[in-house]
Amino acid sequence: MTSPIRKIHFGIADRHQMFRLFDRHARRPNRWQNDDSALYAGEWFEIARAEHDYMLEILPPLWMRGEMFALREFLTGSITSLFYTLCINGVTRFFHAYCDLSDPRSPYEMRDAIVERERRPVKAMTREERIEHIWSATHDDYRGYAGADFRPEHRGKRTVIVYGRPGNRFQLLDHLTDAQISEKLPIHLRHLPLPEAA
């Protein structure tokens, strides 16, 4: 079973990127008409200390527990932002994550998943992480959701623009080829290895 916890951006997000990543699903069809908790729960990314401290000072937190605090305002349902200060391999780092507080274990499972992912000695990206980074990094004008020109079973799924002959077109994000994924990743991420199978 695939963990719902997923890294959605590689690198340390600056303030502009952080706010954009907070709602990277903003243009989804039928926004707010369904319970969209599953879109957000489990997403996480790294931020700088300045962004962590800025978020701590905006509003009094809902709660603070050791290396984490939760925002008072909920995004949807029982999903809210958690901010972590974690020492990983001797370095203090800062992270944002969306956790479902209806499960009291969620903040701790998220913390453990972040630490496990970031302790890997070799930087590697799974196919899923590559796809999520592409979605996070692509400008809204070049990504969207499958509409009437897609088969009914694909409508509403995420799409990104691909370039080629005979012209540019939107393609399902999950159907990108390895070559298309490589083209869409920043140069410094293109050659990271896939994780070795356990």
Side-chain angles (χ1 to χ4, degrees):
M1 181 174 174
T2 303
S3 169
I5 296 175
R6 58 212 175 273
K7 184 173 185 175
I8 62 165
H9 177 79
F10 277 70
I12 300 172
D14 62 26
R15 191 160 304 178
H16 173 76
Q17 290 169 323
M18 177 180 75
F19 280 105
R20 191 166 176 273
L21 290 168
F22 282 164
D23 197 357
R24 66 194 196 117
H25 307 291
R27 293 192 174 188
R28 66 192 180 278
N30 305 318
R31 183 178 169 118
W32 310 125
Q33 292 181 9
N34 303 306
D35 178 8
D36 291 320
S37 299
L39 282 175
Y40 297 95
E43 293 187 345
W44 66 271
F45 57 91
E46 189 169 359
I47 58 176
R49 179 180 196 130
E51 280 60 54
H52 173 276
D53 294 349
Y54 173 80
M55 295 307 296
L56 180 59
E57 294 167 4
I58 284 183
L59 292 171
L62 178 66
W63 50 253
M64 296 181 76
R65 297 178 189 157
E67 69 277 314
M68 66 182 97
F69 70 90
L71 281 194
R72 180 170 299 278
E73 294 183 353
F74 286 77
L75 176 68
T76 179
S78 54
I79 307 296
T80 194
S81 291
L82 265 75
F83 292 86
Y84 295 86
T85 302
L86 302 173
C87 185
I88 302 174
N89 297 332
V91 177
T92 300
R93 296 167 64 186
F94 305 89
F95 300 89
H96 167 270
Y98 280 123
C99 291
D100 184 347
L101 296 189
S102 68
D103 178 356
R105 298 169 303 166
S106 174
Y108 303 99
E109 290 173 352
M110 176 64 75
R111 177 200 60 201
D112 294 346
I114 292 171
V115 170
E116 187 278 328
R117 172 64 185 89
E118 294 303 298
R119 276 192 176 151
R120 293 182 193 165
V122 176
K123 289 199 174 235
M125 293 175 79
T126 65
R127 177 181 170 81
E128 292 75 22
E129 288 172 338
R130 293 166 198 255
I131 292 286
E132 292 303 331
H133 183 88
I134 289 167
W135 181 257
S136 295
T138 301
H139 189 278
D140 286 340
D141 291 344
Y142 302 100
R143 67 181 187 183
Y145 295 87
D149 49 342
F150 284 82
R151 291 166 47 181
E153 64 269 23
H154 295 311
R155 290 180 190 154
K157 293 182 179 178
R158 297 182 295 176
T159 62
V160 291
I161 200 162
V162 293
Y163 305 98
R165 295 191 178 109
N168 305 335
R169 70 188 190 288
F170 279 92
Q171 181 172 318
L172 292 171
L173 181 65
D174 290 336
H175 290 188
L176 293 177
T177 66
D178 290 344
Q180 289 168 329
I181 288 171
S182 180
E183 289 169 5
K184 291 197 162 295
L185 285 172
I187 291 172
H188 69 283
L189 297 178
R190 287 181 186 171
H191 305 294
L192 291 181
L194 287 166
E196 293 180 8

